[in-house]
Amino acid sequence: MRFDTSQSMRMGQQMKLAPRMIQSMEILQMALPQLEERIEQELESNIALELADGDPDTPPDERPILEETRGEAAADAPTHELDAGQGDSADDFERLGSLEEDYGEAFDNAYESAAANGQDTAEPRERLTTEWEPTRTRAADPSERDGKLDAMTNTAARSESLTEQLLEQWSFLDVREELRVPGRLIVEHIEEDGYLRTPLETILDNSGSVRAELNMHMLENALSAVQLFLEPVGIGARDTRECLLLQLDAMIDERPVPALRLAREIVADHLDDLTHNRIPKIVHRTGAELDEVRAAIEAMKGLKLHPGRELVSEAEPPIVPDAAVEWDEDAQDYR
């Protein structure tokens, strides 16, 4: 085994980042809270620095962030505090050396590749270095809130449509199996206010592939089940009279009082007179007393003309203008 020593020369280019540049890069990557904390630490460690009051009339590049205090404060400052920046230089050079050891080969490969491709390597040396510079990731702070998550949380969820809510109710009802499909078809044709304005014959004709399994008798039974079991009461009514009668029948089942029975008779037989407020005609045709008719009308005040709107609110979206045109009194007339 033989050991020899020899000398050789190799031509190369290296780029050294000054400690000031390293410090500037670190500061530029800081978030605003970290930057404010860094400034406070510098102010506490060096009494020769103080915050300068910003003047709004001063250009941005002429506004000093830190201003050196001259006078007795600087003269009385301890030497180790005034020279605090010198102690940090060793740390900066140490970080620079570690950076070269970790990524020096990558820098050289990128530089040699650019030179082989005929690219200009005089100025892009800095650019090649920054392209390979490792990205410094900041650990997530549990105290910081995620803006995107907050926006998603505060966004109102899409409300279910009336059809979706009624189909969900229908799926949980204990009805005969033969009424499942026709009942679903009827629910799908109920409009947003809760009325079924599509004739059953049309629903039967538009039933598609299940047409052979349906008939009018099944649709009528399914409609009765929809009107009886789905909530709010009045869903599936084909007109205003039927909607009010369905609600009055449900109220009479719970509390069969004379006023509600008279109210049902008025709606069933004298709805047109009630609409036009012809109270004397109602009194004459029903044979009831005026006070009884008034009590029946008072009992009908809780009825809903549009039961479907109890489940779905018609909230209008806010209008955001694309442009705003304002009159300028000082503008000259060029006509």
Side-chain angles (χ1 to χ4, degrees):
M1 182 179 297
R2 182 179 177 181
F3 294 94
D4 291 334
T5 58
S6 62
Q7 294 181 353
S8 61
M9 297 180 62
R10 186 181 65 176
M11 182 179 296
Q13 293 182 355
Q14 292 185 352
M15 179 182 176
K16 296 289 186 179
L17 295 178
R20 183 184 297 274
M21 186 177 296
I22 296 177
Q23 189 176 26
S24 301
M25 293 166 58
E26 292 180 350
I27 293 177
L28 288 175
Q29 293 179 3
M30 289 183 179
L32 182 58
Q34 293 180 333
L35 181 59
E36 293 177 350
E37 183 180 357
R38 177 65 178 271
I39 293 175
E40 291 180 0
Q41 292 177 355
E42 294 292 337
L43 291 174
E44 292 177 358
S45 61
N46 193 344
I47 63 173
L49 301 178
E50 67 176 7
L51 283 175
D53 296 332
D55 187 1
D57 297 332
T58 305
D61 51 354
E62 295 182 4
R63 298 176 189 171
I65 299 178
L66 295 176
E67 182 180 357
E68 185 175 356
T69 304
R70 303 182 182 276
E72 296 180 358
D76 298 335
T79 306
H80 66 279
E81 293 186 357
L82 291 175
D83 297 334
Q86 298 179 1
D88 296 336
S89 300
D91 297 336
D92 295 337
F93 279 111
E94 184 177 356
R95 289 196 300 271
L96 179 57
S98 175
L99 183 66
E100 283 192 52
E101 292 177 1
D102 295 339
Y103 299 94
E105 184 178 356
F107 294 161
D108 295 336
N109 292 339
Y111 181 79
E112 292 173 2
S113 175
N117 294 332
Q119 299 179 5
D120 185 11
T121 58
E123 292 183 359
R125 178 62 175 177
E126 267 186 285
R127 178 177 56 80
L128 292 174
T129 304
T130 55
E131 288 178 355
W132 287 93
E133 183 177 1
T135 304
R136 186 167 304 183
T137 57
R138 179 168 54 91
D141 188 356
S143 62
E144 293 184 4
R145 300 183 60 87
D146 190 349
K148 294 182 180 180
L149 181 60
D150 290 345
M152 295 174 61
T153 305
N154 296 329
T155 302
R158 184 187 70 87
S159 59
E160 291 184 341
S161 64
L162 178 65
T163 302
E164 293 173 342
Q165 297 183 55
L166 295 180
L167 286 177
E168 185 177 2
Q169 293 186 38
W170 182 253
S171 64
F172 287 105
L173 291 179
D174 187 14
V175 296
R176 298 199 306 268
E177 193 62 32
E178 62 181 13
L179 299 181
R180 289 288 180 187
V181 174
R184 183 180 181 87
L185 292 175
I186 291 174
V187 169
E188 291 176 349
H189 285 81
I190 293 178
E191 300 181 7
E192 290 298 321
D193 56 359
Y195 286 89
L196 179 66
R197 296 186 175 89
T198 305
L200 295 180
E201 293 81 3
T202 304
I203 296 177
L204 182 61
D205 294 338
N206 298 334
S207 56
S209 59
V210 297
R211 172 69 175 82
E213 305 175 5
L214 301 180
N215 54 54
M216 285 299 300
H217 181 67
M218 296 172 62
L219 285 176
E220 291 173 354
N221 290 338
L223 177 59
S224 299
V226 167
Q227 294 176 347
L228 181 62
F229 296 115
L230 293 188
E231 296 180 354
V233 181
I235 289 291
R238 286 163 284 189
D239 53 31
T240 304
R241 187 191 308 274
E242 187 176 23
C243 180
L244 297 178
L245 288 176
L246 289 172
Q247 298 177 63
L248 287 171
D249 289 340
M251 295 171 67
I252 291 173
D253 290 343
E254 295 181 359
R255 190 166 56 94
V257 297
L260 291 176
R261 295 184 183 276
L262 180 58
R264 192 189 190 287
E265 180 183 354
I266 294 173
V267 171
D269 302 328
H270 313 287
L271 183 60
D272 187 62
D273 293 334
L274 178 63
T275 303
H276 294 85
N277 200 28
R278 295 193 285 258
I279 305 301
K281 285 189 176 182
I282 297 176
V283 172
H284 175 71
R285 293 177 179 179
T286 58
E289 298 292 336
L290 179 61
D291 293 340
E292 294 175 346
V293 173
R294 292 187 182 278
I297 295 175
E298 185 70 20
M300 288 188 286
K301 288 186 176 180
L303 303 180
K304 306 295 183 182
L305 292 177
H306 305 283
R309 295 178 183 173
E310 297 294 314
L311 296 179
V312 180
S313 59
E314 298 181 353
E316 295 294 336
I319 299 176
V320 180
D322 294 332
V325 179
E326 298 180 357
W327 174 258
D328 188 359
E329 298 180 355
D330 299 333
Q332 298 180 1
D333 191 358
Y334 293 98
R335 292 179 300 174

